[in-house]
Amino acid sequence: MSTVPSLQDRRIVLGLTGGIACYKAAELARELVKAGATVQVVMTEAAEAFITPVTMQALSGRRVFTSQWDAREANNMAHINLTRDADAVLVAPASADFLAKLAHGGADDLLSLLCLARPRDHCALLVAPAMNREMWSHPATQRNVAQLRHDGAVVLGPDTGDQACGEVGDGRMLEADELRDDLIAHLQAKLLVGKRVLVTAGPTFEAIDPVRGITNLSSGKMGFAIARAAQEAGAQVTLVAGPVSLSTPRHVQRIDVHSAQQMHDAVLPLAAAHDVFVATAAVADWRPATFAQRKIKKDGARSAPTFELTENPDILAAVARLPDRPYCVGFAAETDDLARNARDKLARKNVPLIVGNLGPATFGRDDNALLLVDARGERQLASADKLTLARELVREIAERLQAST
Ligand code: C5P
């Protein structure tokens, strides 16, 4: 299985400034290393009051830099050397004071120096503000943040909620996994900027009575990965999800449904406003013709109940029939003869692209293999984790979208 960690070969400078959120930076360093990045930690003097370089060195596996006078670099220019082969500088936490300094081009310590001296064309600056809510909402801070955005910096968060001081409001630093995912997204190719992508995912649940129903083994992982990959590529993404226990990808708008009919009713009014529709959901083909209002009881005297089934609406085919339809991508979960079944579906659903996968081999798992079937022919995406495959699929869709316009 070819799995490429999301930050493989990426070099990240992780800057810490003074704030209680420094405790989250330890976890963040770990997450970035786990995702494959080389992490070079740089700390301000104030950050050292909250967490030690010893901790950050152990977690990043590299010696930490804290001073512009550090003589370890042969040319004595750490403020230049540290960013020349870096993909991004991520300052987390970024204090109000540090944001003010950056906004004015201040450069009186190593971290602010290297932010100013970084090669802006290939080394992004991302800041994760962390401060008390009054400090965050203060016009001076808001002015500085607007200036930083104007200068090309990316501002991650802040979040809202409980603060270390006991107050509640905006200014909490995002969590380590959120910062990791935002950084990963920032570094992905922006192939779908300005596009709107609608994705269905998961199984549907067709109720028999208040406690029972018909469903299937789809976990929703493939569809959620596609929603994430599309968002990372710059698209605005709506995800209509059947009953699954997965967390929503960052910055994706999620609509939860249960039954195929609900999924249909959620998707149809939205479809025409989207550029791409990816029908990943394993929609139940049939539902019980009637719903029993009370739990159907086992009754010793009676034989087992029988259920009449009625067909569910075909969501993909309905979207494909719309006069101003988006670019439609269907999935085919099969047990055999993938290519032939996928090609049949291409014609039957009248869509430009069908993605085939083997249902029993992928349902519930983290990996998959995809067979893309369209008018041009077939293309196999070899076995990999679902996010890697989703990113490849998004590339394929973007390419076709470009060709069709
Ligand atoms: O018809 P079949 O289930 O074989 O086709 C699978 C494709 O059609 C998938 O993309 C699935 O999401 C979509 N589909 C749908 N509505 C249905 C059944 C399938 O959108 N009722």
Side-chain angles (χ1 to χ4, degrees), residues 312-325:
N312 272 325
D314 189 315
I315 303 164
L316 176 58
V319 171
R321 278 195 300 271
L322 293 173
D324 44 358
R325 68 178 195 169

Side-chain angles (χ1 to χ4, degrees), residues 13 30 47 53 56 61 65 135 166 172 176 190 226-227 230 235 247 256 277 285 307 316 326-327 379 388 394 403:
V13 175
R30 209 162 159 264
M56 297 308 293
F65 281 80
M135 295 167 77
R172 272 175 68 89
K190 301 295 166 204
I226 291 168
S247 48
D256 284 320
F277 174 50
D285 292 315
F307 300 110
L316 176 58
Y327 182 86
R379 182 161 153 61
T388 300
V394 160

Side-chain angles (χ1 to χ4, degrees), residues 150-203:
H150 182 260
D151 293 346
V154 177
V155 181
L156 306 179
D159 206 352
T160 190
D162 292 338
Q163 305 207 304
C165 51
E167 296 178 7
V168 179
D170 291 342
R172 272 175 68 89
M173 189 170 85
L174 294 178
E175 300 303 324
D177 58 336
E178 296 172 320
L179 290 172
R180 175 203 59 203
D181 288 354
D182 282 356
L183 176 65
I184 289 171
H186 181 80
L187 294 171
Q188 297 299 312
K190 301 295 166 204
L191 303 170
L192 290 177
V193 171
K195 303 292 181 201
R196 299 189 67 187
V197 176
L198 178 62
V199 181
T200 62

Side-chain angles (χ1 to χ4, degrees), residues 346-358:
L346 200 64
R348 187 157 48 81
K349 307 247 178 184
N350 186 28
V351 296
L353 179 62
I354 289 282
V355 181
N357 58 177
L358 292 170

